[in-house]
Amino acid sequence: MANYIPSPRDWVREQVELYESSGGTKGTALRDTGLPVIIVTHIGNKTGAIRKTPLMRVKDGNNYVLIGSVGGAPNDPVLGAQSARQSRCGNSR
């Protein structure tokens, strides 16, 4: 079984820690935006380790859409292409 490696990005690591240590009652919004998130558990592309990433969730009828970005950078987030390739992808909620 792969080991969990926290994100090297402070805000990601801190939000995941807050969410998990509170049993999912805190850290449920994307930074200071108030937008709702879920914590997605996935396998790291380079490390093969377990990773956890907060992604914005938007309700679309009876479905949820997960939204990830690189904060306006010109490239797409790695998690999007990675999730499409992986058959084992879950979330914390």
Side-chain angles (χ1 to χ4, degrees), residues 28-65:
T28 59
L30 184 62
R31 298 174 106 174
D32 298 332
T33 67
L35 298 169
V37 298
I38 65 166
I39 307 299
V40 175
T41 301
H42 55 98
I43 305 299
N45 192 39
K46 294 178 184 173
T47 64
I50 296 169
R51 298 295 217 168
K52 297 178 182 182
T53 306
L55 293 180
M56 187 170 56
R57 71 172 166 82
V58 176
K59 192 151 174 122
D60 179 27
N62 292 328
N63 300 306
Y64 287 99
V65 178

Side-chain angles (χ1 to χ4, degrees):
M1 184 84 187
N3 291 325
Y4 169 61
I5 298 177
S7 175
R9 291 188 176 97
D10 290 342
W11 77 267
V12 172
R13 183 179 58 254
E14 290 167 3
Q15 183 162 9
V16 169
E17 289 172 358
L18 178 61
Y19 182 91
E20 291 186 337
S21 68
S22 72
T25 61
K26 296 180 181 175
T28 59
L30 184 62
R31 298 174 106 174
D32 298 332
T33 67
L35 298 169
V37 298
I38 65 166
I39 307 299
V40 175
T41 301
H42 55 98
I43 305 299
N45 192 39
K46 294 178 184 173
T47 64
I50 296 169
R51 298 295 217 168
K52 297 178 182 182
T53 306
L55 293 180
M56 187 170 56
R57 71 172 166 82
V58 176
K59 192 151 174 122
D60 179 27
N62 292 328
N63 300 306
Y64 287 99
V65 178
L66 301 179
I67 300 172
S69 76
V70 188
N75 53 319
D76 292 331
V78 174
L79 182 59
Q82 191 175 324
S83 295
R85 289 192 309 270
Q86 293 178 5
S87 60
R88 294 183 335 200
C89 190
N91 65 55
S92 295
R93 239 178 161 173

